[in-house]
Every structure is written in structure tokens, then in C-alpha cells.
Amino acid sequence: MSFQTRKSSVYTVAPEMPAMFDGMKLAAVATVLYVIVRCLNLKSPTAPPDLTYQDTTLNHFLLKSCPILTKEYIPPLLWGKSGHLQTALYGKLGRVSSPHPFGLRKYLPMQDGATATFDLFEPLADHQSGEDVTMVICPGIGNHSEKHYIRTFVDHSQKQGYRCAVLNHLGALPNIELTSPRMFTYGCTWEFAAMVGFIKKTYPQSKLIVVGFSLGGNIVCKFLGENRTNQERVLCCVSVCQGYSALRAQETFLQWDQCRRFYNFLMADNMKKIILSHRGALFGGGSTKMVDADLSRLYTATSLMQIDDNIMRKFHGHNSLKEYYEKESCVHYIHNINVPLLLVNSGDDPLVHNSLLTIPRTLAEKKENVIFALTLHGGHLGFFEGAVLFPQPLTWMDKVIVGYANAICQWEKQKPPCQSQGAHSIETKCQDSKS
């Protein structure tokens, strides 16, 4: 009897084991799905950009003529709502099926012995306005004309009738040696100013569209705000995914929120590689600003702030990191810009903390020439579009910049005769004359 009892107990327990394991499997699958949904942000809705602007005739015209700014931005369904994946795809692949536009490289000697370079791409079609219009483009940190996202944007712009001039940040091109102990910094506008001066002199009839990506957005806005004469012949400016104030961004880059500290480490590592590739020019006998101790600190740096403090600020003689960030940030100059200005940011950009977005929003509330567009998704310079999995070669960002530029050119072409000094200041003049 005891044997039969044990035997029956075995038979009663055995069927429960698969059920228990099935439950564990279901729990594991549910957990994985929950993590995927949370990480990919699949439940997040899609929406048009949140726009901040003043009620002016020009702004209404621009939004009507550039409807993509008021329509829903729809990223790829499975991964496009993750700012991290958008940023990672931009960072690793740049763009999908990136074209190879043909350009000529120009070399400009600077007063301090440096040599600025930029690539010039002629238009592939007539511009819709019939005018000569040049895009002057400043890429992101450590970037240049050969980056995939730049190539994609240039190719799209050329086909729309724009000449494109793309700055190669000083020291960013691996095959171009530095000719002085200095490289690009967060807010130095010297090389960009030299490129713009060359374009104005070489193409005296050409109007300019100023475009800046990330760090490049800071540089172009600072350039336009530093001196009002820099805005001459400029139709408009577009800045995408910049942070506006390095001093305010400094604290956020040390936080683990949105893995920002990890991105900080990756960007610092990339900056180290660029600096060390020019070790001879920057730390050699011709350098009076760098010493061996700076090189030692560079090897141990794990953040952009450490590199900026030990290396970058010294290129322009700043006494402290705080002084460097204050003087090189466009937040102190951007209010001087009077040409139409489109500022674009993404709400899920892991590099730009949401607290920094009060700067462009407040500016757009106070200045009638500014439109601030904030998307729900897009990451940092991602803004990929697509149905489910595979993104389209052309991004929402590319379309917005060219669409906005086209609208500005259209406004300039059909403006009343009294308008002659740029879209914003001109509109104000006409309103004053009517009153």
C-alpha cells in the first residue's frame, strides 16, 4: 500500500511541473515584451511638432508654405519612437543609402596660421525662385562634409537648386593636417566666418541660407548674433538639435538620466582620438599653449568637460571652464538675430536636456522672427521616417530645412516693393508705413 501511495503521489505531482514552467515562460515573455515596449517607447503617440511663434504675417505664410512643420511626424513604428535608437542609427550609420555628391575642396589661410577648409557643391537644378541661393552649412561636433547625414542633406538641397558650402571643422578631417596649434572649439566662429566671406565675395549675387547641426547650430547662431553685418544677404537661419548654453548643459551631461553620462563618455573618447591624431601640431614645439601635463590629463579624461577644461579653452586663452562656456555659447548672442530663425529640437534627444529648451521657447515668445519647433521623437539628429522597420533615405529634418528655405525664398520673391532688408525687419517696416 505504501508503495502504491508513493506511486500515486508521483503521478499527481508530475502533471503540475509543465504548467509551472509554462507559467514561468509566460511571465518571462511578458517581462521581455514589457521591457521592449518601454525601451522602444511603443505606446508613445505621434503628433505634429509643438510650435512656438508670434502671430505675424510672415510666420503664417511660412507655416502655410512649409506644411511639414504643421503635420504629424511619423517615425518608423518599431524603433523610431526611441530617442536612443534614432541617435544611435544617426551616430553609426548616419543615413540609409547615403548619396555621394561631388564637391570641390577649398582652403582658406587664417591670420593665426590655421587653414580652414570647406567643400563647395554646385546646384543640380534651377532654384524655384530663379535666384542664386547658397546654403552655408556647419556640421556637428567633430564632423565634416563627408559624414553621411551631411551628404544626404547636401544632395537633397542640390536637387532643389541650392549651392551648398559645408565647413569642415578644423582638425576633423583625418587626411588634413593642422597648420597651427589650434583646432575647432564649441563656439569659435572664425572658420565659418571665413567660409561665408568667401561665398559672399565669389558669388556677389547669391543670397544665403545659414544651417547648423548640433554644435554647428551654436556656431551659426553665435556668428549671426556677434555682429549685425554678418546678417547681410542672409535670408534665414535654421538650427537643429543644439543645446544653446554649454554652461547650463554642463551639469546635465554628468547625470545618468537618459544615459547622458554614457553619451558624454563616448563623445569625449571621440574628441580624444581627434586631438591625439594632431598631437604633433597641438603639443609640439610650435605650441605655446599646451604642455605635457595637458596631454597626460587628456589620456585620463572621461568627459567632455575635462577635455574642455584641460585642452579646448586654452586655444583661445580662456581663464576658466566657466568663462569658456559663457563666451562660446550662442545664448548670449542669439537675441541679436533679426533674420527669420527656425530652431528645431526633439523632445527625446538624449544629449539635450529638456531644461535647455526653455531658451528657444522663450526667445520665440519674445521675438517675432523666431519659430521654435519641438518634435516628440527624433533623437539627436535622427528624425528618420518610415513605415515599420526600414527608414527612408531622406529624413524629416532634411525636408523641413529645405521646405522652410523654399518658403523664405518664396516670401522674398513676392514681397511688397517697400521690403528690402530681410524678411523680418522688412515686414516690420511695411507695417510701420501702413500705420
Side-chain angles (χ1 to χ4, degrees), residues 86 150 190 291 295 311 352 386:
Q86 288 253 18
I150 295 293
W190 296 354
V291 296
L295 185 59
I311 306 293
V352 181

Side-chain angles (χ1 to χ4, degrees), residues 36 49 112 125 150 152 158 170 186 219 233 275 278 362 401:
I36 290 175
D112 66 343
I150 295 293
T152 301
Q158 284 181 291
L170 199 62
Y186 176 67
I219 289 177
R233 290 171 51 187
I275 295 171
H278 299 287
T362 301
I401 299 173

Side-chain angles (χ1 to χ4, degrees), residues 58-67 69 127-129 162 209 235-236 340 399-414 423:
L58 173 60
N59 286 339
H60 283 291
F61 176 86
L62 293 175
L63 295 178
K64 181 179 179 181
S65 303
C66 183
L69 275 172
H127 193 271
Q128 64 177 20
S129 67
Y162 292 96
I209 306 289
L235 295 179
C236 66
K399 299 174 185 175
V400 163
I401 299 173
V402 172
Y404 179 81
N406 287 342
I408 288 290
C409 292
Q410 186 180 350
W411 169 268
E412 287 288 315
K413 189 173 180 63
Q414 67 179 42

